[in-house]
Amino acid sequence: MSDPMRERWRLVLGDAAQDSLGGLSPEAAGRDAALDWLYGRDADLGRRDVRRGGSGPSTLTTVDWLDGITRLFPKETVQRLERDAVERYGIHEVVTDPAVLARVEPNPALLRAVLRTKHLMDPEVLRLARKLVEAVVRQLVERLAADVRQSFSGPRARRPSRFRQARNFDVRRTIRANLAHWRPDERRLHVRQPHFFSRTRRHLDRWQVILLVDQSGSMLGSVIHAAVTAACLWGLPGVRTHLVAFDTDVVDLTSDVDDPVELLMKVQLGGGTDIARAVAYGAQLVENPRRAIVALVSDFYEGGNAGRLVRSVQQLVEQGTHVLALAALDEEADPAYDRATAQRLADVGAAVGAMTPGELAAFVAEHVGR
């Protein structure tokens, strides 16, 4: 076995493989200490004699550990280690300690951690955390905005134009209009009257997009992407966007849609879930039922009246509103949800599934452009 391969297996297995695989180079030993600081906390690994021993969790501080992994591992691995620290082992110092926050590289895992723990932060820490939120949200908006622009560029209608530009030359119409000037002996068409077309965007009727987003803890990824999606749809011609967050209460966040960072800092995660109440509120926002899309983003574990939820969705469908029941709205679109309730919503006409933000933007663009 080559030395790099041996070292990789030694890092995976920890000190339990010391006798069979041998020691480590100084750099690899640093990686081993960093991995053991984190994964040495895992009781299951300890029972299986994997990653046992080493420097142990108490040797390094969180700041030392963060500095070490940033130096010793590639960026993708650092993000995975940070995500496991906050999501698997609950090491909240990664996002609540100013010294640590000042060092971390913004990424979606840390954004989720900040939103879960922001109520624990003092004003100074919250200020640093907000910078992290701004950086990650900016990356998400830039990525989704490209999808939205592509979706809404749409087919363009050809109309006659008096503006003569080579790229707008209408070949077919020009040939038809000048066939009388064909010279067989010259095998040439003399063009007396060229024609051009203008490329104008298709007419957009005014539509409403109403996003109803479950803010229970399990839906955090969808909450983040719903905020970013709403921000990208905001201000598009022919589209009026609403964003409503709910648990057992309903909070209309539409006034903050153009500032997704401020919106996310206002989200309160956790609590129960009354989906029916949120759908009833969303129904009140509908102005023209046949020009409205209601996207309900939830895991469908209804803590309120499930029968009322189904009836409300059915009424929306029957009046001509497009109802999307999305078990996830994020980049993975791989949800865990109450399939029985989702089936009941599908039975009354809702489109049930999961979407990425780009797919939702394409869906909206397809209907708005009709």
Side-chain angles (χ1 to χ4, degrees):
M1 184 184 298
S2 66
D3 285 347
M5 183 64 68
R6 179 183 57 78
E7 283 198 339
R8 286 183 183 180
W9 276 109
R10 169 62 180 77
L11 289 172
V12 170
L13 297 173
D15 278 4
Q18 178 78 19
D19 293 339
S20 58
L21 295 177
L24 296 167
S25 66
E27 184 174 359
R31 293 194 184 101
D32 188 52
L35 292 172
D36 205 65
W37 182 89
L38 182 62
Y39 297 111
R41 302 161 191 266
D42 196 315
D44 184 55
L45 293 181
R47 284 193 296 271
R48 288 184 286 139
D49 242 12
V50 178
R51 294 230 53 83
R52 183 187 51 157
S55 56
S58 62
T59 303
L60 299 173
T61 67
T62 305
V63 176
D64 293 334
W65 175 76
L66 188 67
D67 284 342
I69 64 172
T70 303
R71 185 181 70 256
L72 294 167
F73 295 100
K75 182 177 180 179
E76 295 78 8
T77 304
V78 171
Q79 292 183 358
R80 174 59 187 268
L81 293 171
E82 290 172 345
R83 183 173 73 242
D84 283 351
V86 296
E87 295 184 353
R88 184 172 175 180
Y89 298 109
I91 304 172
H92 295 310
E93 301 98 298
V94 175
V95 289
T96 59
D97 184 333
V100 179
L101 269 174
R103 289 168 167 79
V104 294
E105 181 77 19
N107 65 71
L110 296 183
L111 169 59
R112 292 192 295 270
V114 166
L115 297 181
R116 286 195 179 100
T117 58
K118 66 181 189 292
H119 62 286
L120 303 174
M121 299 176 184
D122 62 38
E124 175 60 22
V125 175
L126 196 60
R127 183 184 65 81
L128 292 172
R130 186 185 179 93
K131 289 184 177 180
L132 184 150
V133 173
E134 289 173 349
V136 180
V137 168
R138 183 170 58 251
Q139 295 168 6
L140 294 174
V141 168
E142 289 172 355
R143 191 156 60 241
L144 179 57
D147 292 337
V148 171
R149 284 193 299 270
Q150 180 178 358
S151 297
F152 276 81
S153 61
R156 296 174 182 267
R158 295 185 175 190
R159 299 179 180 177
S161 174
R162 293 174 296 172
F163 297 100
R164 301 187 174 195
Q165 296 180 335
R167 65 187 180 92
N168 290 338
F169 182 57
D170 192 334
V171 176
R172 292 185 179 182
R173 187 163 178 245
T174 298
I175 291 174
R176 286 197 304 268
N178 291 275
L179 283 175
H181 307 299
W182 167 253
R183 297 289 183 266
D185 55 326
E186 300 178 15
R187 300 184 61 82
R188 180 177 298 177
L189 179 68
H190 290 262
V191 176
R192 303 286 179 84
Q193 180 59 53
H195 291 273
F196 299 83
F197 56 77
S198 64
R199 301 177 184 269
T200 58
R201 289 190 61 175
R202 58 191 175 191
H203 175 68
L204 298 179
D205 294 324
R206 186 173 180 81
W207 277 71
Q208 281 179 286
V209 178
I210 302 169
L211 291 168
L212 307 174
V213 186
D214 185 341
Q215 62 178 353
S216 59
S218 62
M219 298 299 295
L220 178 54
S222 293
V223 171
I224 293 169
H225 287 87
V228 172
T229 302
C232 292
L233 294 176
W234 185 259
L236 285 172
V239 180
R240 182 179 179 187
T241 306
H242 307 259
L243 181 62
V244 177
F246 68 89
D247 41 39
T248 52
D249 293 319
V250 175
V251 181
D252 195 325
L253 298 170
T254 303
S255 61
D256 292 313
V257 162
D258 61 339
D259 186 353
V261 174
E262 181 65 26
L263 189 154
L264 288 172
M265 296 303 285
K266 288 183 177 180
V267 167
Q268 300 295 325
L269 298 170
T273 309
D274 191 337
I275 309 173
R277 185 176 181 183
V279 173
Y281 180 86
Q284 295 175 359
L285 298 176
V286 175
E287 296 170 355
N288 182 347
R290 296 187 179 278
R291 289 288 182 271
I293 298 170
V294 174
L296 170 63
V297 185
S298 175
D299 56 14
F300 308 125
Y301 287 100
E302 175 62 294
N305 189 320
R308 181 186 172 208
L309 167 62
V310 175
R311 289 192 299 273
S312 296
V313 169
Q314 183 175 11
Q315 289 168 3
L316 284 169
V317 172
E318 289 176 347
Q319 71 183 14
T321 299
H322 297 274
V323 179
L324 298 177
L326 302 179
L329 179 64
D330 56 33
E331 293 177 335
E332 287 76 31
D334 183 20
Y337 61 100
D338 186 332
R339 296 179 181 274
T341 300
Q343 184 61 58
R344 293 180 67 184
L345 299 181
D347 290 342
V348 297
V352 176
M355 286 184 174
T356 66
E359 289 169 343
L360 177 58
F363 181 92
V364 172
E366 177 185 354
H367 288 77
V368 168
R370 288 179 178 177

